[in-house]
Amino acid sequence: MDYIFDIFYEEIFESMDRNGLQTRQSRRDVIDRLNSIISGGIGGQNLTATQSSRQAILSAIEYHQRHKEQNGNVCLMGKFHNILYVAVRVAWDWGVEDSHVVAELLREIYSCEKTFERLFLGAIFGTNAPYFIAGWRSDFKDQDENTRAIVFFLQHAANAGLEFPIFVRKSNCLKMIRFIDVPIESCGKASPLRVTLQASAPDILMILLRYGASPNPFDDGLPPVIALFDKLIEYQDRRYPYQLDACLRLLLKTLSFVEMPFKPLMYDARKEMFLDKYEQLLQDKLLDANLIFGVPSLKHLCRCTIRERLNENCQLPKGIKELKIPGKLRRYIDLME
C-alpha cells in the first residue's frame, strides 16, 4: 500500500504547478482523491481505516523529506510543503489513532515553519480570519470543526509527549516547549494561550487550560493574568464584558497565586501600587485577595498541585479520569466546577 501512495504523490505533483496547492479548494481536491485511495485500500487490501490512512500520512511525510533533502535540507515550500496539510486533513478525516504518526507529522511541519499557527488560528479567530492575518485559509470548514481538530492534535501531542526547541529571550537559551505552548509567529510570537486571551475567547481558553497550556508562557509579554487585569480596568463603568470576566475566572483556577508586578520594589510598595491600580477588581469580586496577599484555600492549592503533577507527565486531562476520587472532585480538578 505504501507503494501505491508513493506513486500517487509523485504522479499528481509532477504535473502540478508549484503553487498548485495554494488554495483550500485545490488541497481539498487532492484530499478527496486521496481519501478514495484510502477507502480502496480498506476494501481491496483488507486494511483497517487506521492502517490505510496511517500509510497515506507516512508517505506524505516521506515525500516532503525526500524533496527537502534534494534541496540541501531546505524546504521548497509551495506544493512540496502543503502536502503536509493534505496529511493533516487526512489524519483528522480518518481519526488516526496512532499518536506516533501524528507526532511525526507535527514535527515535520515544525521543522519548516517553527510554528503551528495554521492549526491554531482558525480555532481562535474563525476559519476566514487567518487569511487576513497570515495570508492562507484554514483547511477546516468552520471554527467548530477547527476547534475539534485542535483537540484531536492536542491529545495526540500529549500522548507522544511532544516538545520542540524554542529560543527564549528572557533566559537567553533554548527550552523544550510543548506543542500546546509553541508561539504563533504571525501574532508577535505569542503563545496560543496569550493569543486566545487577546481574542477574549473563553471556550478556546478552556480547551487550552484543560490540556495543560502554561498560564505563564515563555514568551516575552506581561504575565497573562496581569494583562487581563489591565484590560478589565479600562471599563471604568465596571460593566465588564462576559468574555473577559470568564477568561479571568478560568485563568485564576490554574494559578496557585498571583505574583504582583512592580518588581524590584519592596513588598509593601508593590502592594500599595497594586491596590492603587487594581482595587476595583477586588471590590467587584473578580479577584480573591487571598490569591495575592494572603493564603489561598487548601482546596484550590490541591487542585493546582494535582494538575501540575499530571501535566508534568503529559496526563492532562485524560489522567484526571483515572484518579480514584469522587466524580465531583474530578470535575473540579478538570476546571469544570
Side-chain angles (χ1 to χ4, degrees), residues 162-166 168 174-178 218:
L162 201 54
E163 293 183 325
F164 301 91
I166 293 177
V168 179
L174 282 175
K175 285 185 177 290
M176 296 303 294
I177 305 297
R178 291 186 182 177
F218 292 99

Side-chain angles (χ1 to χ4, degrees), residues 17-34:
D17 292 338
R18 185 182 183 84
N19 294 326
L21 291 180
Q22 190 68 25
T23 66
R24 177 168 52 194
Q25 185 56 52
S26 63
R27 294 192 295 275
R28 186 70 256 179
D29 291 342
V30 173
I31 292 164
D32 289 343
R33 294 171 66 179
L34 189 56

Side-chain angles (χ1 to χ4, degrees), residues 176-194:
M176 296 303 294
I177 305 297
R178 291 186 182 177
F179 168 74
I180 197 170
D181 292 319
V182 171
I184 296 177
E185 289 286 321
S186 61
C187 294
K189 296 187 177 181
S191 72
L193 179 136
R194 189 182 298 279

Side-chain angles (χ1 to χ4, degrees), residues 110-172:
Y110 183 81
S111 71
C112 299
E113 298 185 30
K114 308 303 181 188
T115 186
F116 294 106
E117 60 184 41
R118 285 179 69 165
L119 295 177
F120 281 100
L121 286 183
I124 297 171
F125 294 107
T127 52
N128 291 323
Y131 180 76
F132 301 102
I133 296 173
W136 49 263
R137 298 189 187 279
S138 170
D139 285 293
F140 302 98
K141 65 181 181 180
D142 54 33
Q143 189 171 12
D144 176 68
E145 185 179 67
N146 205 153
T147 300
R148 289 185 287 116
I150 280 294
V151 172
F152 172 82
F153 287 106
L154 286 173
Q155 186 60 66
H156 279 299
N159 290 344
L162 201 54
E163 293 183 325
F164 301 91
I166 293 177
F167 182 78
V168 179
R169 280 181 285 182
K170 282 183 180 180
S171 55
N172 197 35

